[in-house]
Amino acid sequence: MGWGDLGAFGEPSKETPNLDQMAAEGMLFLDFYTANPLCSPSRAALLTGRLPVRNGFYTTNGHARNAYTPQDIVGGIPDSELLLPELLKKAGYVNKIIGKWHLGHRPQFHPLKHGFDEWFGSPNCHFGPYDNRERPNIPVYRDWEMVGRYYEDFKIDLKTGEANLTQLYLQEALDFISKQQASKQPFFLYWAIDATHAPVYASKQFLGTSQRGLYGDAVREIDDSIGKILNHLQKLGITENTFVFFTSDNGAALISAPKQGGSNGPFLCGKQTTFEGGMREPAIAWWPGHIPAGGVSHQLGNVMDLFTTSLSLAGLQPPSDRQIDGIDLLPVILQGKLIDRPIFYYRGNELMAVRVGLYKAHYWTWSNSWEEHGKGIDFCPGQSVSGVTTHTQEEHTYLPLLFHLGRDPGEKYPLSFASEEYQRAMERISGLVQQHKATLVPGQPQLNVCDQAVMNWSPPGCEKLGKCLKAPESDPKKCFWPH
Amino acid sequence: MGWGDLGAFGEPSKETPNLDQMAAEGMLFLDFYTANPLCSPSRAALLTGRLPVRNGFYTTNGHARNAYTPQDIVGGIPDSELLLPELLKKAGYVNKIIGKWHLGHRPQFHPLKHGFDEWFGSPNCHFGPYDNRERPNIPVYRDWEMVGRYYEDFKIDLKTGEANLTQLYLQEALDFISKQQASKQPFFLYWAIDATHAPVYASKQFLGTSQRGLYGDAVREIDDSIGKILNHLQKLGITENTFVFFTSDNGAALISAPKQGGSNGPFLCGKQTTFEGGMREPAIAWWPGHIPAGGVSHQLGNVMDLFTTSLSLAGLQPPSDRQIDGIDLLPVILQGKLIDRPIFYYRGNELMAVRVGLYKAHYWTWSNSWEEHGKGIDFCPGQSVSGVTTHTQEEHTYLPLLFHLGRDPGEKYPLSFASEEYQRAMERISGLVQQHKATLVPGQPQLNVCDQAVMNWSPPGCEKLGKCLKAPESDPKKCFWPH
């Protein structure tokens, strides 16, 4: 989803009454970011509280390339990383992930090996259908074992867009919450639904209900589900000790628009880019009785903050043996404080841009290559800002392009290099960037090697279902990341 | 102001708490339009309930050219037009205009000759300062006579952007309301402030208070003033019989961005164009006790509807001897009904586009000329949609470009001409357009002739102030309208 996909954030069909209500009862974050404009690294950052360049969710196969975890990826979340559920366990939490994991699908990367107690969902995107010869269909797991595959046991009709997955994920969520409440155990639920990711889907009852087409149907179903989850918490009487946060893992994928892509509101470009449209996210914190209703925060926030904030809520300290990039947002949420902190915009192994206060400095600009663009792959459809949405990687490290996001949220008007304002702002930003770079210890890159042998041929449990497939011979290669 | 300038409409700095509150207490219109992407024709349409092509506020000097009422315009609102205040008078209303009139500044066009009882404001935009030789400074009137001129008696500091005009207009509004309430007379107040029109200004207390720069300061002052007006109505205990409507006369002028231009949210282009950014407006209806709080309407609305709706509120019928384009919105506002009606997008003498339901058909596309664009005049900065934001006037009358504004609010993806959806939608639209064109009786164009002799040299009252200037000889010419 993108920043502009919710009514509360100005989506013109205003079809998210439950999320809008959640915002009215909670706190809206207007300046909230992901750690990366792509799914896997963003999710790895959320669960580790660390930038992908630290936790290994990046590639060095090319400069400033987006990478993720397709079926043939060899890497995944390293054991050395400490995930939020692993830490929450120490405080007695039961942890469940529902939906897309995306931190690696080989056995050692299984979510139940990284702190989760339960899982219902899939390790990869719901791409397909595949022929199970060149490429297997993506499995769906319950806990340790697969229970079927997409397009086989879990239907997705690519023609109509019908799939009942969000309903399955919703029921899983409600059941888990009920169960934990019955046993009086504290819980952490990571509800990682993916209906707005192409191929976009919605249940029959939501198909055709949106002004916005199939994408809007998917948004409506997610909105409806979130309403049901919050309502469930209310019915169980546990809203006052349940903290809920809604956000997205990257900006709307404008390449999939208009049929399968959402809105980044007034911001530039979308998913895959380090412009605001790729990285600024809708975000709402909800905790009745604690968070003042109708609050609006300009805190620069990041998905990595959810790691630190959740630990704080559980009375835990973040690990002290490693650099944690997330900050504790509780003073912001509960006391309305503003914490001064930069936002780093990475694309793969490169720091593309930095936001400090209302200023954003671009050290590198790139949308995608001319070659890709010529094939119709466009991350900025209908938008073109000369010298900014460039189709070659443009270096500005010696004289960064500087934007004032208050006056110019769309990143259209770089400040004059000669202006006093430029000098003043860059002085501060340069210091922060130097410090960041000087102390950065990059992790071992996990997204460099691909091998068809590691695909989901025979996930655990396949034998019970008669769904084991024969893997081809191992043939490790450098993964190809085009943008 | 543009659609995207209010927090309630997704402006990312969310600095309009009073307007957002007004929306929360009233009804938000998400699909509300002006009758023209430029000030004078839009205001003429608001006050007559009729399209500019009917009421004469257009030009035939060129095809599809925007025209307005600069100082040297010879025309203005014809006597044959019936203005809202003229009609409201019959129901005992006292009518006041505060701010910019813009329907002609020659004596016969004076607002007090067209139904208003009181006026404080100016006939034209606050451009200047002028030298009073080539061109006089714009006068400010109180009722029949001028009380000074901009940049002389009413200061606007172009360097700092400081001017206290909005405060003057606010005080006028509060005083007028108090006076009418004291005398128990029903009133119509047309509060036509212009702080967000370049040169943008704000009072000292608001300067530098916005994240958005001077433009944001102006928005904050307007927002604050509207809060004070609503609060005043509350204090007087007359909210239950006072209907308040907030809207704008055209989309944000992106040519003035980023320093003096606002936001049209996710929409294409801005003022001067018939894309959504030029004509879709923020709109809020407020009437506590009558309008359900927190309502949101997808009614296709238009500034011309305020004419008919206001008459309806006063128990009056619209004139039956002429075509009225505005509809009565009360069933929408009070009973949540949706009325099926088209929106016509005119630029000068040409019907550029039509919206019916969620479909918008472009019969002509044009942003502005290559020549102007080459000089840096850009109505769509950072936006470029191939074949849509054209720099030559492109005719599509035989095969209109069709957009679905639900799936594609940004007008980026025209529907395939071959699709069934295209055929079905165009069938309906074509019928409505044919009917509209067949019955249209264009008014005498008022914006064709310009003459330096008619400028504000010696407005009534100038002699008392010693501010009469000598007019040059009459030299009537065709006005030049570049876009």
Side-chain angles (χ1 to χ4, degrees):
Chain A
M1 263 196 213
W3 192 94
D5 273 326
L6 276 56
F9 287 86
E11 198 289 313
S13 71
K14 223 174 165 72
E15 295 177 334
T16 54
N18 294 287
L19 284 162
D20 297 354
Q21 179 70 17
M22 183 182 173
E25 293 170 7
M27 180 174 273
L28 200 63
F29 282 83
L30 296 164
D31 300 78
F32 199 86
Y33 291 87
T34 177
N36 201 273
L38 206 67
C39 41
S40 296
S42 169
R43 286 152 194 252
L46 168 80
L47 289 172
T48 61
R50 285 150 58 80
L51 283 166
V53 72
R54 296 192 213 274
N55 66 33
F57 265 65
Y58 71 106
T59 182
T60 53
N61 287 1
H63 177 249
R65 299 293 172 121
N66 292 319
Y68 71 110
T69 54
Q71 276 210 77
D72 56 350
I73 197 81
V74 170
I77 192 73
D79 279 339
S80 55
E81 289 298 317
L82 281 171
L83 268 63
L84 177 59
E86 290 180 79
L87 297 164
L88 288 175
K89 246 184 188 167
K90 295 183 189 161
Y93 277 74
V94 178
N95 308 300
K96 178 160 192 163
I97 165 171
I98 297 173
K100 187 166 77 166
W101 165 241
H102 235 207
L103 301 198
H105 57 281
R106 296 175 65 208
Q108 63 267 41
F109 306 127
H110 193 288
L112 272 57
K113 287 205 175 133
H114 291 270
F116 283 104
D117 300 294
E118 300 183 18
W119 180 24
F120 179 73
S122 62
N124 311 83
C125 282
H126 53 283
F127 295 143
Y130 299 117
D131 61 2
N132 282 340
R133 269 193 290 267
E134 285 281 305
R135 194 174 286 265
N137 277 318
I138 303 295
V140 175
Y141 281 72
R142 173 169 301 285
D143 303 331
W144 287 107
E145 297 187 346
M146 77 178 276
V147 289
R149 290 185 193 267
Y150 282 139
Y151 301 95
E152 299 172 17
D153 316 282
F154 296 88
K155 306 277 185 236
I156 302 170
D157 185 330
L158 291 183
K159 213 169 157 184
T160 63
E162 184 180 343
N164 69 342
L165 299 171
T166 302
Q167 292 304 311
L168 296 183
Y169 296 150
L170 169 61
Q171 199 51 52
E172 282 288 320
L174 300 179
D175 291 348
F176 174 70
I177 293 167
S178 296
K179 192 178 71 178
Q180 295 322 308
Q181 176 53 13
S183 62
K184 302 285 173 209
Q185 268 192 298
F187 65 89
F188 163 53
L189 170 60
Y190 176 37
W191 198 59
I193 36 106
D194 59 1
T196 49
H197 191 296
V200 168
Y201 61 79
S203 300
K204 194 163 191 177
Q205 58 179 305
F206 289 94
L207 282 179
T209 61
S210 166
Q211 285 191 4
R212 305 178 69 197
L214 180 58
Y215 183 90
D217 297 340
V219 171
R220 287 190 82 130
E221 184 166 13
I222 290 172
D223 176 74
D224 181 80
S225 302
I226 288 167
K228 291 201 165 92
I229 292 173
L230 298 184
N231 195 38
H232 193 61
L233 297 175
Q234 261 147 356
K235 271 198 303 200
L236 294 175
I238 55 172
T239 58
E240 296 224 344
N241 60 352
T242 308
F243 177 83
V244 186
F245 201 94
F246 171 84
T247 190
S248 174
D249 60 348
N250 46 241
L254 302 183
I255 29 164
S256 307
K259 283 201 178 154
Q260 310 229 339
S263 167
N264 298 315
F267 298 120
L268 188 62
C269 303
K271 179 174 173 177
Q272 304 278 5
T273 77
T274 47
F275 301 112
E276 291 298 288
M279 293 194 57
R280 206 191 286 212
E281 305 303 330
I284 305 169
W286 187 87
W287 192 15
H290 300 269
I291 301 176
V296 171
S297 180
H298 285 291
Q299 173 64 44
L300 303 198
N302 198 294
V303 293
M304 300 181 290
D305 301 343
L306 300 177
F307 174 88
T308 311
T309 305
S310 299
L311 292 178
S312 178
L313 283 163
L316 298 168
Q317 293 293 321
S320 56
D321 63 341
R322 63 196 69 201
Q323 182 67 44
I324 300 291
D325 297 288
I327 62 170
D328 181 1
L329 290 178
L330 289 188
V332 175
I333 291 170
L334 302 180
Q335 294 137 44
K337 293 204 173 150
L338 279 177
I339 300 165
D340 191 21
R341 66 91 73 90
I343 296 292
F344 296 107
Y345 302 68
Y346 269 89
R347 184 159 172 169
N349 58 350
E350 186 57 83
L351 180 67
M352 304 288 285
V354 178
R355 177 173 173 183
V356 174
L358 284 166
Y359 293 102
K360 180 174 176 183
H362 288 272
Y363 290 82
W364 286 86
T365 52
W366 195 34
S367 54
N368 63 345
S369 68
W370 281 118
E371 195 193 343
E372 272 205 338
H373 194 252
K375 291 179 194 156
I377 299 171
D378 191 349
F379 299 145
C380 315
Q383 297 179 312
S384 171
V385 182
S386 175
V388 179
T389 55
T390 57
H391 289 289
T392 48
Q393 295 190 353
E394 298 288 335
E395 183 169 7
H396 311 277
T397 49
Y398 292 99
L399 207 57
L401 291 183
L402 188 67
F403 295 91
H404 185 282
L405 294 179
R407 300 193 299 268
D408 177 23
E411 295 168 282
K412 287 178 186 153
Y413 307 96
L415 268 74
S416 159
F417 298 128
S419 68
E420 218 183 289
E421 187 183 3
Y422 181 92
Q423 303 296 335
R424 218 171 33 234
M426 280 314 304
E427 208 168 300
R428 172 120 199 272
I429 297 173
S430 301
L432 287 163
V433 168
Q434 270 172 18
Q435 193 191 347
H436 172 71
K437 289 202 162 179
T439 59
L440 180 76
V441 182
Q444 189 71 24
Q446 295 294 316
L447 309 178
N448 281 351
V449 185
C450 287
D451 185 349
Q452 54 181 15
V454 307
M455 295 200 277
N456 296 288
W457 301 105
S458 295
C462 69
E463 63 289 344
K464 294 183 195 163
L465 304 168
K467 282 192 174 281
C468 301
L469 299 166
K470 192 173 157 6
E473 277 193 21
S474 174
D475 179 20
K477 287 179 188 159
K478 273 173 100 171
C479 308
F480 173 63
W481 303 118
H483 40 249
Chain B
M1 263 195 213
W3 192 94
D5 273 326
L6 275 57
F9 288 86
E11 199 289 312
S13 72
K14 223 175 164 70
E15 294 177 335
T16 54
N18 294 288
L19 284 162
D20 297 354
Q21 179 70 17
M22 182 180 174
E25 294 170 6
M27 180 174 272
L28 200 63
F29 282 84
L30 295 165
D31 299 78
F32 199 87
Y33 290 88
T34 176
N36 201 273
L38 207 67
C39 42
S40 296
S42 169
R43 286 152 194 254
L46 168 80
L47 290 172
T48 61
R50 284 151 59 78
L51 284 166
V53 72
R54 296 193 214 273
N55 67 32
F57 265 64
Y58 71 106
T59 182
T60 53
N61 287 1
H63 177 250
R65 299 295 172 120
N66 292 318
Y68 71 109
T69 52
Q71 276 209 75
D72 56 350
I73 197 80
V74 170
I77 191 73
D79 278 339
S80 55
E81 290 297 319
L82 281 170
L83 268 62
L84 176 58
E86 290 180 78
L87 296 164
L88 288 176
K89 245 184 189 166
K90 296 182 188 159
Y93 277 72
V94 178
N95 308 300
K96 178 159 193 164
I97 166 172
I98 296 172
K100 187 166 78 166
W101 165 240
H102 235 206
L103 301 198
H105 57 279
R106 296 174 66 208
Q108 63 267 44
F109 306 126
H110 193 287
L112 272 57
K113 287 206 175 133
H114 291 269
F116 283 103
D117 300 292
E118 300 183 18
W119 181 23
F120 180 74
S122 62
N124 312 83
C125 282
H126 53 282
F127 295 142
Y130 298 118
D131 61 2
N132 283 340
R133 270 193 290 267
E134 284 282 305
R135 195 174 285 264
N137 277 320
I138 303 295
V140 174
Y141 281 72
R142 173 169 300 286
D143 303 331
W144 288 107
E145 297 187 344
M146 77 178 277
V147 288
R149 291 186 192 267
Y150 283 139
Y151 301 94
E152 299 173 15
D153 316 281
F154 296 88
K155 305 279 185 236
I156 302 170
D157 186 329
L158 292 182
K159 213 167 159 186
T160 63
E162 184 179 344
N164 69 343
L165 298 171
T166 303
Q167 292 305 312
L168 296 182
Y169 297 148
L170 169 61
Q171 199 51 53
E172 282 288 321
L174 300 178
D175 291 350
F176 174 70
I177 294 167
S178 296
K179 193 178 69 179
Q180 296 321 308
Q181 176 52 11
S183 62
K184 302 283 172 211
Q185 268 193 298
F187 66 88
F188 164 52
L189 170 60
Y190 176 37
W191 198 60
I193 35 108
D194 60 1
T196 50
H197 191 296
V200 169
Y201 61 80
S203 300
K204 192 161 192 179
Q205 59 180 306
F206 289 93
L207 283 179
T209 61
S210 166
Q211 285 191 5
R212 306 178 68 198
L214 180 58
Y215 184 89
D217 297 340
V219 171
R220 286 190 82 130
E221 184 166 13
I222 290 172
D223 176 73
D224 181 81
S225 301
I226 289 168
K228 292 202 165 91
I229 291 173
L230 298 185
N231 195 39
H232 193 61
L233 297 175
Q234 261 146 356
K235 269 197 305 199
L236 294 175
I238 55 172
T239 57
E240 295 224 343
N241 60 352
T242 308
F243 177 83
V244 186
F245 201 94
F246 171 84
T247 191
S248 174
D249 61 348
N250 47 240
L254 302 183
I255 29 163
S256 308
K259 283 202 178 154
Q260 311 228 338
S263 167
N264 298 315
F267 297 121
L268 188 62
C269 303
K271 179 173 174 177
Q272 305 277 4
T273 78
T274 47
F275 301 111
E276 291 299 287
M279 294 193 56
R280 205 190 286 210
E281 305 302 330
I284 305 168
W286 187 87
W287 192 15
H290 300 268
I291 302 176
V296 171
S297 181
H298 284 292
Q299 173 65 43
L300 303 198
N302 198 295
V303 292
M304 300 181 291
D305 301 343
L306 300 178
F307 174 88
T308 311
T309 305
S310 299
L311 291 178
S312 177
L313 283 163
L316 297 168
Q317 293 293 321
S320 56
D321 63 342
R322 64 196 68 202
Q323 182 68 41
I324 300 291
D325 298 288
I327 62 171
D328 181 1
L329 290 179
L330 288 189
V332 175
I333 292 170
L334 302 181
Q335 294 137 45
K337 291 203 173 150
L338 279 178
I339 301 166
D340 192 20
R341 66 92 72 91
I343 296 292
F344 296 108
Y345 302 68
Y346 270 89
R347 184 158 170 168
N349 58 350
E350 187 58 82
L351 180 67
M352 304 287 286
V354 177
R355 177 173 174 182
V356 175
L358 284 166
Y359 292 102
K360 179 174 177 184
H362 287 272
Y363 290 82
W364 287 86
T365 52
W366 195 35
S367 55
N368 63 344
S369 68
W370 281 118
E371 194 193 343
E372 271 205 338
H373 194 251
K375 290 179 195 157
I377 298 172
D378 191 350
F379 299 147
C380 315
Q383 297 178 312
S384 172
V385 182
S386 175
V388 179
T389 55
T390 57
H391 289 289
T392 50
Q393 294 190 353
E394 297 289 335
E395 183 169 6
H396 311 277
T397 50
Y398 293 99
L399 208 57
L401 291 183
L402 188 68
F403 295 91
H404 185 282
L405 295 179
R407 300 193 299 265
D408 177 24
E411 295 166 284
K412 287 178 186 153
Y413 307 96
L415 268 73
S416 161
F417 298 128
S419 67
E420 219 184 288
E421 186 182 3
Y422 181 92
Q423 303 295 336
R424 218 170 34 235
M426 280 314 303
E427 208 167 300
R428 170 120 201 273
I429 297 173
S430 300
L432 286 164
V433 167
Q434 270 172 18
Q435 193 191 347
H436 173 71
K437 289 202 162 178
T439 59
L440 181 76
V441 182
Q444 189 71 26
Q446 295 294 316
L447 309 179
N448 281 351
V449 185
C450 287
D451 185 348
Q452 55 180 15
V454 306
M455 295 200 277
N456 296 289
W457 301 106
S458 294
C462 69
E463 64 290 345
K464 294 184 194 160
L465 304 168
K467 283 192 173 281
C468 301
L469 299 166
K470 192 174 158 6
E473 278 194 18
S474 176
D475 179 19
K477 287 181 188 157
K478 272 174 100 170
C479 308
F480 173 64
W481 303 118
H483 40 250

